[in-house]
Amino acid sequence: PKTDIVFLKVHKSASSTVMNILFRFGETHNLTFAFPRGGGFQLFYPYHFLARFVHGFSPRSPRRFNILCHHMRFLQPEVQKVVPSSAVYFSILRNPVQLMESSFVYYKGASAFSRVRSLEEFLRQPRRYYSPASGDRHYARNLITFDFGFNPDGDASPERVQLMLNAIEASFDLVLISEYFDESMVLLKELLCWDLDSVVSFPLNSRDSSTRSTLPGWAVEKLKAWNRLDWEIYTHFNRTFWERIERALGRERLRREVRALRARRAELARTCLQGTGSVGPKDIKDSSLRPLQHGGARILGYNLKQGLDGELERTCRRLVTPELQYSSLLYNKQFPPPAP
């Protein structure tokens, strides 16, 4: 199994669920994480990543960390200073239309969104509300492009787009697609030589459907044009994703593996969870399992069954522990606070 991993956590793209998979694998195999300095939850995002953002990094010591997976704005020469040269790099993308709809609800307080009532209103005259000079502009335009380290207001000429795609392909071993999450996990399992239980998960940081909205056709077209760079990245890697499936697995084996993954998830849900699945924040009984609520979204979570025995309770709890709580737990394990 591969144990040195860089995951670029692109916003609003099922990346919290992937992070849970990496947290669980790292904890089980006693691996080290490149945590944000001081135990924060982001690597000084939205600044480009620097090695010195990592807790315990020193240019004088050759220490390397196994897993880098907290939010960052990608900058490979700096990333290479904190992980072994053998590290596998991967990321996950989401259709920019759904991504921006989610971003609008989640980052409603961002300067570009705060003065409009709806995403349609923003898309009618985006330049009226959007300022390239604002420090949080990336939430409102080409968020994928920004997270990969590029300029969200950059030129969208075919030549520039091609340069950007070439740079991503040169840096990343695999780019997954969140709309095909189970297929993505099968491909990731194959690349990392992991077993099925290592990539099984429950969806984390997902929204209640009551805050989701469907955009009219004209708004979708405006959105694609406004987020042209993201759209180019997404369509390119959606295509190469399926080419990779054909090469690595073939459709028949993919179907078998996806079936096995879904069956295992369903089995774990029956074993671990009260009720049929996720519940609203008010209905989560154990406050340590309550996810952070942000913007106008209602973020769902889970209730565990009562009376699970020690090892099983631990397995189930890890599957549903929200990102911030899990990150803090692992940080305190890796950097134990001094004894009083």
Side-chain angles (χ1 to χ4, degrees):
K2 305 274 199 307
T3 53
D4 299 323
I5 292 156
V6 174
F7 171 53
L8 178 63
K9 190 173 186 293
V10 171
H11 285 76
K12 315 310 312 151
S13 303
S15 55
S16 293
T17 308
V18 177
M19 201 172 184
N20 177 271
I21 287 169
L22 296 175
F23 280 168
R24 285 176 7 235
F25 186 86
E27 185 180 23
T28 306
H29 294 82
N30 225 7
L31 304 177
T32 57
F33 290 88
F35 285 107
R37 224 175 46 217
F41 302 111
Q42 301 196 344
L43 289 153
F44 292 79
Y45 187 88
Y47 298 104
H48 272 108
F49 176 81
L50 295 174
R52 62 183 171 82
F53 295 164
V54 172
H55 193 109
F57 170 80
S58 159
R60 291 179 298 285
S61 96
R63 177 173 189 190
R64 294 283 190 273
F65 300 88
N66 299 113
I67 299 177
L68 174 60
C69 62
H70 286 72
H71 269 310
M72 63 171 160
R73 189 172 181 208
F74 190 67
L75 186 60
Q76 192 165 19
E78 289 290 315
V79 168
Q80 286 168 332
K81 295 176 186 176
V82 299
V83 294
S85 56
S86 59
V88 174
Y89 287 67
F90 79 99
S91 187
I92 187 163
L93 306 179
R94 181 182 185 184
N95 184 312
V97 175
Q98 281 77 47
L99 182 128
M100 191 167 186
E101 188 272 327
S102 175
S103 191
F104 180 80
V105 174
Y106 204 77
Y107 302 111
K108 188 69 183 74
S111 53
F113 295 151
S114 59
R115 292 182 294 133
V116 291
R117 283 186 304 279
S118 66
L119 183 53
E120 287 99 315
E121 189 182 338
F122 173 81
L123 289 167
R124 279 197 180 91
Q125 298 175 283
R127 293 194 185 279
R128 182 177 166 191
Y129 307 106
Y130 174 86
S131 162
S134 72
D136 59 3
R137 73 185 200 270
H138 49 283
Y139 293 125
R141 189 174 200 196
N142 289 316
L143 183 51
I144 296 171
T145 304
F146 184 87
D147 284 355
F148 274 93
F150 303 104
N151 176 7
D153 296 302
D155 166 23
S157 68
E159 298 74 31
R160 290 302 296 269
V161 165
Q162 196 53 55
L163 282 172
M164 188 171 65
L165 296 175
N166 293 349
I168 296 171
E169 290 200 316
S171 300
F172 287 84
D173 299 288
L174 184 61
V175 177
L176 303 171
I177 302 292
S178 69
E179 283 80 11
Y180 304 102
F181 188 80
D182 291 343
E183 292 83 352
S184 290
M185 292 307 101
V186 167
L187 202 49
L188 183 66
K189 175 173 87 77
E190 188 73 7
L191 175 71
L192 299 177
C193 306
W194 288 6
D195 61 11
L196 181 70
D197 269 15
S198 296
V199 297
V200 76
S201 63
F202 297 140
L204 294 177
N205 207 32
S206 57
R207 291 188 286 158
D208 178 350
S209 59
S210 69
T211 62
R212 295 172 196 265
S213 59
T214 306
L215 292 170
W218 68 264
V220 169
E221 292 313 310
K222 294 269 284 195
L223 192 155
K224 286 182 192 172
W226 176 246
N227 292 301
R228 175 70 191 284
L229 295 172
D230 276 12
W231 187 250
E232 294 285 357
I233 293 173
Y234 177 78
T235 50
H236 173 82
F237 285 104
N238 191 1
R239 192 180 68 250
T240 59
F241 174 78
W242 293 104
E243 290 166 2
R244 183 72 172 260
I245 293 263
E246 290 291 0
R247 276 202 316 276
L249 298 160
R251 295 288 171 122
E252 191 41 54
R253 186 171 153 215
L254 174 73
R255 269 194 290 274
R256 276 202 313 275
E257 299 247 2
V258 165
R259 246 195 330 267
L261 179 66
R262 287 175 180 165
R264 181 64 179 135
R265 182 188 298 128
E267 184 187 352
L268 280 165
R270 285 193 298 274
T271 304
C272 296
L273 303 180
Q274 274 182 36
T276 52
S278 54
V279 295
K282 289 198 302 295
D283 299 319
I284 301 167
K285 299 183 182 77
D286 181 341
S287 61
S288 71
L289 296 179
R290 220 168 271 152
L292 174 75
Q293 301 299 311
H294 199 83
R298 279 180 72 229
I299 308 299
L300 303 175
Y302 298 91
N303 285 315
L304 290 179
K305 275 188 177 159
Q306 301 297 298
L308 297 168
D309 71 38
E311 192 49 42
L312 181 61
E313 203 272 348
R314 194 181 156 286
T315 299
C316 292
R317 179 169 288 276
R318 291 295 188 258
L319 276 161
V320 300
T321 299
E323 177 185 326
L324 303 192
Q325 287 94 310
Y326 206 159
S327 183
S328 294
L329 187 133
L330 293 173
Y331 174 81
N332 289 325
K333 200 170 161 182
Q334 191 166 309
F335 301 105

